[in-house]
Every structure is written in structure tokens, then in C-alpha cells.
Amino acid sequence: MESVRREKVAALLKSQAGRKVLAKGWVRTKRGNKNVAFTALNDGSTIHNIQIVCEMSRFTDEMMRPVTTGACIGVTGTLVESQGSGQNVEILADEITVYGTADTSYPLQKKGHSLEFLREIAHLRPRTNTFGAVLRIRHAMAFAIHKFFNDKGFYYLHTPLITASDAEGAGAMFQVTCLDLQNPPKKEDGTIDYSKDFFARHTNLTVSGQLEGETGALALGEIYTFGPTFRAENSNTPRHLAEFWMVEPEMAFYEIEDNMDLAEEFIKYLVKYALDNCMDDLQFLNDMFDKELITRLQSVISTEFARISYTEGVKILENSGRKFEFPVYWGADLQSEHERYLVEEHFKKPVIMTDYPKDIKAFYMKVNPDNKTVRGMDVLFPKIGEIIGGSQREENYEKLQNRIKELGMNADSLWWYMDTRKFGSAPHSGFGLGFERLLLFVTGMSNIRDVIPFPRTPKSAEF
Ligand code: ATP
Ligand code: MN
């Protein structure tokens, strides 16, 4: 059977009938009668299956018995024009090789399992239509991110996952240690002596690559990071993971307006890339989960995002006459319900909000002349709320130093970060896009656990 080269199902479905072919993949369904058996084969290359037709004059019942839902098989045969509806071509089988059987305990026997159930079999769910579609789109978006930045002359900078600066303030951190937890070395005052630990200091998993990213921008001009980040936030929401991927561009000589322009261009590029390259998968998700998905994606690439200040946003919310669960007042950290009101009901399009009160934002954001607000910007999206958080960074050494003091932060571990302001500082800006939040928007899925292969959330790290 190996004399014919294996082709992927995606390619076979688009090709001309009338030749010998070899396909390999997993059986989705099998049906038939005593004369003929129809098997739907999928190999992950497309949402569509190829139909395998076995005439029972050539195949015995015994040969067909191991060809069950979930089994992995190879098929040689002739690619013929399909008699039935729903596909152009099918394979009229000569020979079937069974690589791996699957008995009746295979959990994906029937269609229509709940997303909750599928999370319990995260190792098998890529074999469903839904997760095949999501994972192909996830790949396409990762590729498009690299393409977007590469085409613009940004460099992909690898920032560390293990960090000693625990002052970033983006969220609670996971500690990294090799100390014996039963019997850790202690200092005279009774506290743990981290100088005896692997790195000779206290270390954590990173919550963001930004601070290291800034050192790259102030040398290479324009960089981006794209990697996993970790937050030990005990918030069980459909939009938070403990391990998620973040894209963080950082650019020298960008003011906040340039930063907003880049963020808007970037998201539109990614959404357009999905519409141009993932239509089969999007159509499936649109039909199955979210009838407005494709319309919503199209509308985002054709509308200009609204741009408002935090102060304006708070006024709109206060005048909305709406009762929110969390109260709105100038100085409050806006909640997802507020963000979604602005996006979905007031503006009816994505919103970029800027100039937040300095007290609710991170130490590195550039303070405005009013000394009350900072040049932060969040991009707010329908159904999701915050998809991007970013800012122009404070480039002035003294101002940054004062801000760190004001917040009572420990500046010692940030000496290298402060050096970027001491030596050849420059105006610069950047932002962080949560990759899974983007995927929620692009796929229309409503739980962030369903857009990453192996979700990490409180009390859950199986697989
Ligand atoms: P939120 O208020 O939604 O928790 P944040 O203000 O903590 O977000 P940032 O620190 O600005 O978020 O991080 C940048 C981006 O990373 C966010 O805009 C969001 O897209 C994404 N993000 C943040 N926390 C998480 C998380 N726990 N899981 C998935 N994505 C996240
Ligand atoms: Mn958060």
C-alpha cells in the first residue's frame, strides 16, 4: 500500500477524481448495509471528512469489524466523484490497514458532547470538530502574529519565564523554588534563606515579559514577545487562565497615539487573516455556537474603534441610568460589566480607553501633566471586555523613581530596569494582548478553557 504517497484529506477533497490515492486518519463514523460500508475519515487537516466507500464484495465483515469510531486507519483506493450529496469526491477503497483500534469505551462515540464533558477529556477533544476548528484557528493566529510583526520590522524577543522581579504588579505570582519545603534553610530572624535556593534569590514565574521587553525596544527599536505568562489569580472566570499566552510589542519612539494605532491595526489584521484563511472552521463555529460570529468579525475590521478617556467613560456610565453590580465613580477600577456596557450598548464597537487614574494602574505608566492620570490604554471588545492593556512608559528616571517610592515598592530587584532610564532613555510604548482573549473573540467560544489545548485554572492541571 505504501507505493502511493499519502495525501492529506484537505488536499484530496480539493483534487481531481480518477486516480489511486492513500489517506490516513481517524474514523469519525461508520454506517452502511450488507452491500456497502461508508466510513467518514478525518486527519485533522480540515473540518471536513472524506468518505470511504467499501463495497462488501471486496471486504469481509471481519475486515470491517475493527474499523470503528475512533480507530486509526490507512486506506488505498480510487478517488472517485461522489454519488451522494455533501462532498465532491470520495475514496472507493481497495485496501484498509488498521493502525490502532478503538473499542466501545472510546468516549467520543456520539456527536454533541457538552464542552464541560470535553474539558474532562482534554487529551482526546482535539479529535472533535469543535476543537479541531479551534486549534487550527489558534495556529493560524499565532502564525499571523509573527507575520504581522516580521513584515513591520519588529524583532521577536525571548524574555525569561523565570524572574526575580516580583514588583511588576500585574497579578499574583507562582513561586519557583528547589528548596526542601519540609525543612527550608532559615536566616537568623527565622525567615526563609533564599540565598540557598537554586538561583540564590527568591524567584517566580513571570506575569509579563514587558520589563525585559523594554530593554529590547531601547536597543533594537521595535520588538515583540510571544510566550506563556503565569498568574496565580484565584479568579474562576470564563476569561482568566493561570497559564496564558501573551503578545507584547514594545516600541521606542512611540507615543500613546502611535501605540493605539498599532493596537487597532494589529487586531484588525488578525481578524482579517482569520476571515481570509480559516473560513471553513469559522463557518462551522458560526453554525454550531454563535450565529453572529462571522458578521461580528467582519464588522470589527470595517469600523474605526471608539477612543475615549477614562473620565469620559465614567461620565457615560454614570449617566447611563443602569444599575451595575459594582458602583461606578471616578477612581474606580472598571469591571467587565462596565466595559461591556460601553462596547456593546453605548458605542456598539470596540473602544480604546485612555488616561486612567494613576492609582489603579502600574508604576511604569507615564504620568500626565495633571499628575492624576497616566497614559494607559485598554482595548475593550464585545463579549470579552479587556483584550489589550498597554501604555506609554515613564521614560524619566526621577519621575519613575518617585513613583516607585510613592507606591512603597522594593526597587532593588529593578536596578537593571532603572538603568534603561539612566542610559539613553527614550520615549516608548507597548501593550499586551492576551492571546486566548483574542481567540475567544475570533472563535466565538465563550469559555477561555476551550481555546487552549490544556487549560490551567485553579484546582485543575491534569493532562
Ligand atoms: P483583567 O483585568 O481582565 O484581569 P489585567 O488588567 O490583569 O486584565 P494586563 O495585566 O493588562 O491584564 O494583561 C494584558 C492582557 O493579558 C489583558 O488585556 C488580557 O487580554 C490578558 N490577560 C490578563 N490576565 C489574563 C488571564 N488570567 N488569563 C488570560 N488572559 C489574561
Ligand atoms: Mn488581571
Side-chain angles (χ1 to χ4, degrees):
M1 121 184 271
E2 300 295 336
S3 56
V4 190
R5 197 173 49 89
R6 178 210 165 202
E7 290 170 76
K8 294 200 184 180
V9 170
L12 287 171
L13 288 174
K14 284 192 207 126
S15 71
Q16 283 294 324
R19 59 198 179 86
K20 290 279 177 211
V21 295
L22 167 59
K24 298 181 181 181
W26 292 267
V27 174
R28 284 292 173 84
T29 56
K30 188 174 74 171
R31 64 188 172 85
N33 52 44
K34 62 182 187 322
N35 300 321
V36 62
F38 299 103
T39 301
L41 192 73
N42 189 282
D43 67 357
S45 60
T46 160
I47 188 98
H48 302 297
N49 303 325
I50 194 158
Q51 177 157 278
I52 312 298
V53 181
C54 297
E55 288 173 343
M56 296 313 285
S57 50
R58 271 174 197 252
F59 291 84
T60 63
D61 283 345
E62 199 175 334
M63 288 158 81
M64 291 309 291
R65 202 165 296 126
V67 181
T68 58
T69 297
C72 184
I73 63 171
V75 184
T76 47
T78 309
L79 193 69
V80 297
E81 272 171 38
S82 180
Q83 307 297 307
S85 60
Q87 65 271 323
N88 293 326
V89 290
E90 60 194 21
I91 298 175
L92 185 59
D94 295 331
E95 197 185 324
I96 291 185
T97 306
V98 178
Y99 296 117
T101 57
D103 66 19
T104 50
S105 67
Y106 179 62
L108 298 171
Q109 296 291 345
K110 291 191 301 261
K111 286 185 182 171
H113 290 295
S114 73
L115 294 169
E116 289 77 10
F117 171 73
L118 293 177
R119 272 173 227 147
E120 292 167 17
I121 50 164
H123 60 305
L124 292 175
R125 67 180 182 169
R127 296 197 198 171
T128 63
N129 282 331
T130 300
F131 285 89
V134 167
L135 294 177
R136 280 186 295 272
I137 293 170
R138 187 179 166 106
H139 162 80
M141 290 296 89
F143 179 78
I145 284 163
H146 288 300
K147 177 156 171 55
F148 176 84
F149 286 123
N150 183 64
D151 290 353
K152 278 192 173 306
F154 283 54
Y155 299 107
Y156 182 25
L157 185 78
H158 295 103
T159 51
L161 299 190
I162 298 174
T163 172
S165 50
D166 47 12
E168 290 163 58
M173 301 180 91
F174 289 103
Q175 189 180 336
V176 176
T177 182
C178 292
L179 293 179
D180 177 3
L181 294 181
Q182 301 297 337
N183 186 24
K186 298 261 175 76
K187 291 192 285 198
E188 271 173 20
D189 64 4
T191 60
I192 293 178
D193 185 2
Y194 285 104
S195 70
K196 304 261 160 47
D197 204 346
F198 189 92
F199 297 108
R201 73 201 69 214
H202 185 249
T203 52
N204 290 304
L205 292 178
T206 188
V207 293
S208 154
Q210 179 199 318
L211 301 188
E212 289 90 352
E214 286 184 51
T215 72
L218 295 176
L220 296 165
E222 292 161 335
I223 64 93
Y224 68 105
T225 71
F226 184 10
T229 48
F230 307 86
R231 297 188 185 180
E233 39 196 9
N234 206 354
S235 49
N236 245 313
T237 81
R239 298 172 302 107
H240 288 91
L241 291 164
E243 176 182 298
F244 66 99
W245 287 64
M246 190 146 54
V247 186
E248 295 181 278
E250 193 70 38
M251 300 74 65
F253 317 119
Y254 272 53
E255 308 271 332
I256 185 79
E257 291 78 16
D258 308 311
N259 205 21
M260 288 192 268
D261 291 345
L262 183 75
E264 183 166 344
E265 184 190 346
F266 180 45
I267 300 197
K268 286 178 169 169
Y269 176 93
L270 297 176
V271 172
K272 183 169 188 307
Y273 189 93
L275 286 167
D276 290 346
N277 295 278
C278 308
M279 204 32 136
D280 283 1
D281 290 322
L282 289 175
Q283 190 67 56
F284 173 82
L285 296 169
N286 186 94
D287 297 346
M288 287 296 291
F289 296 102
D290 181 351
K291 297 279 182 282
E292 266 130 51
L293 174 62
I294 291 173
T295 322
R296 198 181 312 115
L297 297 180
Q298 281 161 344
S299 101
V300 157
I301 57 175
S302 59
T303 50
E304 218 168 289
F305 295 4
R307 298 187 182 191
I308 59 164
S309 70
Y310 168 90
T311 304
E312 289 164 326
V314 167
K315 275 201 200 110
I316 295 170
L317 291 165
E318 282 174 337
N319 296 334
S320 68
R322 181 65 66 94
K323 269 260 167 294
F324 293 107
E325 190 187 337
F326 293 89
V328 184
Y329 54 91
W330 199 95
D333 201 357
L334 298 185
Q335 304 292 323
S336 162
E337 56 171 340
H338 308 129
E339 296 171 346
R340 293 185 60 173
Y341 175 84
L342 291 170
V343 172
E344 290 165 24
E345 297 183 50
H346 188 83
F347 288 101
K348 299 192 165 58
K349 56 173 160 174
V351 172
I352 309 184
M353 191 181 273
T354 56
D355 302 294
Y356 287 80
K358 66 175 180 182
D359 295 334
I360 58 169
K361 287 292 182 187
F363 75 96
Y364 48 72
M365 295 195 185
K366 188 176 173 70
V367 181
N368 278 313
D370 66 11
N371 201 30
K372 276 179 14 196
T373 59
V374 286
R375 291 198 187 175
M377 57 163 224
D378 282 1
V379 181
L380 313 177
F381 253 54
K383 289 194 69 184
I384 289 158
E386 180 186 333
I387 192 166
I388 281 180
S391 70
Q392 182 166 350
R393 319 304 189 191
E394 182 56 73
E395 81 265 25
N396 179 283
Y397 184 88
E398 279 75 32
K399 287 185 186 165
L400 190 59
Q401 189 85 326
N402 288 338
R403 199 70 192 109
I404 288 174
K405 275 205 203 100
E406 215 170 86
L407 291 166
M409 289 168 48
N410 170 17
D412 296 351
S413 62
L414 287 175
W415 66 271
W416 54 273
Y417 183 71
M418 296 308 293
D419 265 6
T420 59
R421 273 56 171 182
K422 204 191 273 176
F423 307 119
S425 190
H428 63 288
S429 299
F431 61 79
L433 167 78
F435 186 49
E436 286 78 17
R437 299 254 177 111
L438 170 83
L439 289 171
L440 280 176
F441 182 72
V442 172
T443 62
M445 301 301 284
S446 46
N447 194 312
I448 200 161
R449 292 163 180 77
D450 298 330
V451 294
I452 188 166
F454 299 103
R456 296 285 176 263
T457 51
K459 300 198 166 50
S460 158
E462 220 173 336
F463 313 107

